[in-house]
């Protein structure tokens, strides 16, 4: 690690070891999980040899694949709807359009980030039951869309804030009407924010347990719920393998999202 | 005889409402002529950008109207006005190449790609950046971006080009170059330029006519020489170059000449046309370089007596400050050094100041 000596923090003893311990605390469990997914022994905690069989077992498990399929359908649908809504919200809230109660609307958009998930889950469940909505994939998609919106909204909003308002004016100045200016200037410049927001939404949805568990019902078992069910039968390397695969997908998406968001013209 | 291209008629513009209302423009009228380099000059916040944005269609006037070739523009959105803008921040599209930036307006007007590209090349040639078509704006220097912004705005051959302090972000040397360049482009394209600046030298050097603005009003419109030599307002005389202000009383003497009597100092004759024809208390503006110094023994109807309070050698000129009398501001006199002046005067020496009869301009306020 390269130490930046201009940072006064490094004058204190033990900063390095504290940082190391912090990272170990964060990542050691994940490293262990991945390592044990290659363990030959059926008892996940005793190492007897290296194998990739558990991955084959996991990928051959129909229930697991069905759960993964559900997760994918839910995540993709929720992402598309949430990103679309978030984009429109961000455009509506952009600095050009001041309106009364704007701060209130902005707070409401971000609120789902702060409300405890269990509260949202219970409330959503009661809401669906009261409305007589049949629990299943659709109800999960609706619930996921709601909590994905703030995640999609924030990066899009940040992009829009950072955009020079005279760019839109320049487009109008050069004979582009509202739609063409949006299509040719605003949207391309916003695109990295939109992609980044979409990827975040996707991961958040893929990852969700509590809300899916409450509003999913029998027909909508998602991957996290399936993993939870497997663990109750006992921790096998197969669980580790499935988890490791999920982690891989998450890392991929988060990295791409991060890279896209760094695009600067 | 030049035709009027843009005309503002009693235009007012206010921002905000209630107690926080700001009157950015107050009853402004101006006619801008065909093929003219027209400059709006004034200090920060006087409403220059606002007037430009009204012409461009980015703001709506609170009162009054703006005409383009005699037609009211009020209901036309910016994208329907044959007017282009060079923005202060350049506002080049960062996701497009230089060439795509230039063809943007052409494509929006429905010109086919081939013609648009040819026109873009022509424009790149015009701003002397022919090899830069495939770069993106972030790969260009400030001065180059400036030229591309110009090329982009000129490409659709607008009737009027609006430029909002386009040179303010450039360093001094580049700014001087671009002043010449802009003037050349204006002459070559024959497009009416409406240029905004708060730099009086820039305005004097480039403009066919200048409108001097202050606090939402246009005080004076005229050619650079006119604005400089015959300012109508104290603000104009002060904002453009250096000026002396003498307060006194105008009276018409027995022989029919007009004279200015400065309390406790003396009298000087004024040329007929430099007075606005009013008698009584006035303030006159006199440029320091129009004054000259002579030996105290020299006398005449065009002279006032004074004492050299201080003198500063500034290369081409010597700047004198002359004490005329108690309660009067020191009179600033510029004497060119190479010109074989009637002797050099030292501090504390009594002198007579020669005020040519047409050097003093009576101000309206
Ligand atoms: N969108 C706006 N909302 C409120 N007030 C505004 C707005 N635009 C301009 N003003 C006010 O109108 C007045 C004139 O502004 P304007 O931008 O036209 O000045 P300017 O002459 O271009 O100044 P500068 O040389 O600093 O660019 C200022 O007092 C400014 O604060
Ligand atoms: Mg301005």
């Amino acid at each position: 690690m390269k130490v930046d000596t201009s940072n006064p923090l490094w004058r204190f003893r033990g900063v390095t070891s504290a940082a190391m311990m912090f990272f170990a605390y964060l990542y050691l469990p994940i490293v262990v999980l991945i390592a044990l997914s290659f363990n030959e022994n059926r008892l996940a905690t005793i190492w007897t040899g290296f194998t990739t069989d558990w991955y084959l077992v996991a990928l051959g498990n129909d229930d697991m694949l069905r759960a993964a399929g559900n997760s994918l359908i839910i995540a993709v649908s929720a992402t598309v709807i949430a990103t679309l809504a978030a984009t429109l919200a961000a455009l509506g809230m952009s600095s050009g359009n001041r309106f009364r109660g704007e701060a209130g609307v902005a707070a409401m958009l971000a609120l789902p980030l702060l409300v405890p998930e269990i509260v949202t889950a219970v409330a959503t469940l009661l809401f669906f039951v009261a409305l007589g909505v049949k629990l299943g994939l659709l109800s999960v998609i609706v619930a996921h869309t709601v909590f994905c919106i703030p995640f999609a909204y924030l990066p899009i909003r940040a992009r829009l804030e950072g955009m020079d308002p005279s760019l839109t004016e320049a487009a109008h100045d050069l004979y582009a009407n509202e739609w063409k200016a949006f299509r040719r200037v605003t949207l391309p410049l916003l695109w990295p924010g939109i992609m980044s927001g979409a990827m975040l939404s996707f991961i958040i949805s893929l990852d969700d347990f509590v809300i899916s568990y409450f509003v999913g019902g029998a027909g909508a078992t998602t991957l996290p719920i399936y993993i939870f069910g497997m663990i109750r039968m006992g921790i096998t390397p197969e669980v580790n393998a499935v988890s490791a695969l999920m982690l891989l997908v998450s890392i991929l998406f988060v990295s791409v999202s991060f890279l896209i968001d760094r695009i600067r013209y | 005889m030049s035709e009027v291209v843009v005309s503002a008629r009693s235009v007012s513009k206010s921002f905000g409402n209630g107690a926080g209302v700001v009157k950015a423009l107050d009853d402004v009228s101006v006619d801008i002529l065909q093929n003219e380099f027209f400059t709006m000059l004034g200090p920060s916040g006087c409403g220059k950008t606002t007037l430009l944005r009204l012409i461009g269609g980015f703001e709506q006037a609170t009162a009054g109207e703006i005409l383009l070739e005699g037609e009211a523009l009020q209901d036309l959105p910016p994208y329907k006005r044959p007017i282009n803008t060079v923005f202060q921040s350049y506002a080049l599209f960062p996701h497009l190449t230089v060439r795509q930036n230039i063809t943007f307006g052409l494509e929006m007007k429905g010109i086919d790609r081939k013609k648009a590209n040819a026109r873009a090349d022509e424009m790149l040639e015009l701003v002397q950046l022919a090899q830069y078509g495939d770069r993106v704006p972030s790969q260009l220097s400030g001065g180059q971006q400036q030229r591309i912004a110009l090329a982009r705005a000129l490409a659709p051959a607008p009737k009027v080009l609006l430029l909002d302090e386009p040179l303010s972000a450039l360093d001094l040397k580049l700014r001087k170059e671009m002043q010449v360049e802009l003037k050349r482009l204006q002459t070559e394209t024959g497009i009416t330029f409406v240029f905004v600046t708060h730099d009086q030298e820039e305005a004097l050097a480039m403009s066919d006519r200048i409108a001097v603005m202050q606090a939402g009003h246009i005080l004076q419109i005229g050619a650079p020489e006119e604005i400089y030599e015959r300012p109508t307002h104290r603000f104009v005389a002060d904002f453009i170059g250096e000026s002396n202000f003498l307060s006194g009383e105008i009276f018409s003497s027995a022989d029919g000449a007009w004279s200015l009597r400065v309390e406790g100092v003396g009298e000087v004759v004024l040329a007929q046309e430099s007075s606005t024809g009013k008698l009584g208390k006035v303030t006159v503006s006199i440029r320091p370089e129009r004054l000259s110094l002579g030996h105290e023994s020299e006398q005449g109807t065009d002279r006032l007596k004074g004492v050299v309070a201080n003198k500063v050698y500034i290369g081409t000129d010597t700047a004198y400050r002359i004490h005329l009398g108690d309660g009067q501001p020191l009179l600033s006199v510029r004497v060119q050094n190479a010109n074989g002046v009637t002797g050099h005067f030292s501090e504390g020496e009594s002198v007579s100041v020669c005020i040519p009869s047409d050097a003093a301009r009576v101000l309206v306020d």
Side-chain angles (χ1 to χ4, degrees):
Chain A
M1 198 187 299
K2 195 165 167 287
V3 173
D4 175 9
T5 45
S6 67
N7 186 335
L9 200 60
W10 293 108
R11 286 201 316 253
F12 296 101
R13 285 164 156 274
V15 169
T16 315
S17 44
M20 296 289 194
M21 270 163 68
F22 168 75
F23 283 116
Y25 175 74
L26 268 185
Y27 290 108
L28 210 56
I30 296 175
V31 172
V32 170
L33 175 133
I34 294 171
L36 289 179
S37 71
F38 296 107
N39 186 7
E40 198 183 51
N41 197 302
R42 186 157 181 76
L43 287 173
T45 44
I46 303 165
W47 182 268
T48 50
F50 180 88
T51 177
T52 52
D53 287 352
W54 295 112
Y55 284 88
L56 299 178
V57 173
L59 292 174
N61 178 340
D62 284 343
D63 288 343
M64 200 285 283
L65 289 179
R66 200 169 309 119
N70 282 343
S71 275
L72 215 59
I73 293 171
I74 292 164
V76 169
S77 319
T79 296
V80 170
I81 303 169
T83 308
L84 204 65
T87 306
L88 294 178
L91 287 172
M93 304 272 301
S94 73
S95 37
N97 309 327
R98 293 254 165 264
F99 59 91
R100 274 161 61 100
E102 194 182 309
V105 175
M108 299 252 286
L109 274 164
L111 201 61
L113 294 173
L114 302 174
V115 177
E117 210 185 340
I118 184 76
V119 175
T120 314
V122 172
T124 313
L125 176 65
L126 293 179
F127 184 66
F128 282 150
V129 170
L131 286 183
V133 174
K134 201 167 137 286
L135 298 185
L137 274 185
L138 199 65
S139 59
V140 182
I141 290 174
V142 172
H144 276 214
T145 302
V146 172
F147 71 74
C148 282
I149 285 178
F151 287 96
Y153 175 74
L154 292 177
I156 299 173
R157 169 82 178 154
R159 271 278 156 176
L160 209 54
E161 291 283 83
M163 218 171 98
D164 181 357
S166 61
L167 288 175
T168 324
E169 286 187 348
H172 291 319
D173 190 64
L174 294 163
Y175 314 103
N177 59 25
E178 301 289 343
W179 166 246
K180 279 185 178 156
F182 175 72
R183 206 24 226 92
R184 297 287 303 270
V185 176
T186 312
L187 192 58
L189 291 175
L190 221 50
W191 195 241
I194 294 175
M195 286 310 287
S196 163
M199 300 225 169
L200 271 181
S201 300
F202 184 83
I203 286 304
I204 297 292
S205 163
L206 201 66
D207 207 33
D208 178 73
F209 177 78
V210 177
I211 290 175
S212 310
Y213 192 72
F214 273 69
V215 303
T221 302
T222 62
L223 200 52
I225 294 174
Y226 181 76
I227 292 174
F228 181 66
M230 278 171 91
I231 283 182
R232 284 200 299 194
M233 311 288 196
I235 300 173
T236 63
E238 188 186 350
V239 176
N240 289 4
V242 174
S243 305
L245 286 174
M246 251 188 106
L247 180 68
L248 192 69
V249 174
S250 294
I251 289 176
L252 213 71
F253 269 78
V254 172
S255 313
V256 173
S257 152
F258 178 73
L259 287 180
I260 287 179
D261 205 39
R262 282 207 327 179
I263 293 178
R264 290 276 172 275
Y265 296 108
Chain B
M1 188 58 214
S2 287
E3 265 178 61
V4 175
V5 181
V6 177
S7 137
R9 300 224 178 120
S10 306
V11 169
S12 296
K13 173 70 187 174
S14 305
F15 291 104
N17 43 35
V21 70
V22 178
K23 203 147 201 193
L25 289 177
D26 190 6
D27 196 19
V28 166
S29 295
V30 59
D31 283 337
I32 299 169
L33 307 179
Q34 182 87 54
N35 196 3
E36 178 172 49
F37 199 118
F38 189 87
T39 298
M40 297 194 279
L41 173 67
S44 185
C46 70
K48 308 179 295 285
T49 298
T50 304
L51 186 50
L52 213 61
R53 289 174 61 81
L54 283 168
I55 299 173
F58 302 111
E59 305 280 0
Q60 288 294 312
T62 316
E65 59 178 358
I66 292 183
L67 310 178
L68 180 73
E69 294 181 333
E71 312 250 348
L73 282 177
Q74 243 70 343
D75 299 324
L76 280 190
Y79 52 84
K80 288 193 181 153
R81 302 186 181 197
I83 296 173
N84 287 144
T85 307
V86 175
F87 292 84
Q88 183 165 5
S89 60
Y90 310 149
L92 295 175
F93 304 127
H95 59 300
L96 301 180
T97 63
V98 163
R99 184 173 284 103
Q100 287 167 330
N101 262 282
I102 299 175
T103 54
F104 188 94
L106 301 169
E107 271 182 52
M108 292 299 133
K109 283 184 91 174
I111 291 166
D112 73 65
R113 176 152 290 153
K114 216 168 150 192
K115 277 213 190 95
N117 276 326
R119 177 77 176 157
D121 287 335
E122 193 184 318
M123 286 297 122
L124 282 169
E125 203 76 53
L126 190 68
V127 297
Q128 297 165 350
L129 287 175
Q131 313 86 340
Y132 291 79
D134 297 321
R135 298 212 189 173
V136 291
S138 61
Q139 295 169 328
L140 300 177
S141 73
Q144 290 168 337
Q145 291 185 19
Q146 157 73 65
R147 284 162 199 253
I148 297 305
L150 256 169
R152 181 178 73 172
L154 285 171
K159 293 198 169 121
V160 180
L161 187 73
L162 308 176
L163 305 103
D164 192 358
E165 309 207 21
L167 307 183
S168 62
L170 306 179
D171 63 46
L172 188 66
K173 185 164 174 291
L174 202 53
R175 194 151 73 221
K176 297 270 181 230
E177 273 174 42
M178 283 305 296
Q179 287 177 8
V180 178
E181 184 84 1
L182 270 180
K183 187 72 195 166
R184 173 181 73 84
L185 286 174
Q186 195 267 327
T187 323
E188 275 180 27
T189 56
I191 291 171
T192 304
F193 277 33
V194 183
F195 184 84
V196 159
T197 183
H198 58 252
D199 180 337
Q200 42 113 356
E201 270 184 48
E202 197 166 280
L204 291 175
M206 300 168 73
S207 319
D208 294 321
R209 285 195 308 154
I210 299 172
V212 183
M213 296 182 68
Q214 182 206 19
H217 297 272
I218 293 183
L219 297 182
Q220 187 176 4
I221 302 178
E225 312 83 72
E226 195 178 335
I227 299 270
Y228 185 82
E229 299 289 349
R230 296 186 288 284
T232 54
H233 295 68
R234 184 180 183 126
F235 178 86
V236 176
D238 213 17
F239 192 74
I240 298 166
E242 195 191 350
S243 209
N244 292 297
F245 299 103
L246 277 182
S247 293
E249 205 167 338
I250 290 193
F251 65 98
S252 121
S253 47
D255 55 3
W258 298 64
S259 293
L260 177 75
R261 181 188 295 130
V262 182
E263 194 62 33
V265 178
E267 297 170 8
V268 277
V269 172
L270 297 186
Q272 199 72 242
E273 82 276 2
S274 71
S275 151
T276 42
K278 62 178 182 183
L279 294 169
K281 290 217 168 295
V282 295
T283 300
V284 298
S285 152
I286 310 167
R287 297 291 182 192
E289 70 275 14
R290 297 294 311 274
L291 297 171
S292 57
L293 297 179
H295 194 263
E296 69 173 315
S297 63
E298 292 179 54
Q299 296 200 349
T301 55
D302 57 349
R303 286 176 183 270
L304 290 176
K305 286 202 177 312
V307 177
V308 176
N310 67 51
K311 78 185 241 194
V312 180
Y313 174 79
I314 47 174
T316 52
D317 298 351
T318 302
Y320 291 92
R321 311 277 272 164
I322 308 294
H323 177 82
L324 290 178
D326 293 330
Q328 290 291 336
L330 292 179
L331 196 67
S332 162
V333 180
R334 282 275 187 117
V335 181
Q336 230 178 26
N337 286 330
N339 249 2
V341 225
T342 47
H344 286 287
F345 303 92
S346 43
E347 281 173 24
E349 197 175 337
S350 289
V351 290
S352 81
V353 184
C354 172
I355 305 177
S357 66
D358 64 342
R361 303 296 310 178
V362 176
L363 303 172
V364 296
D365 56 350

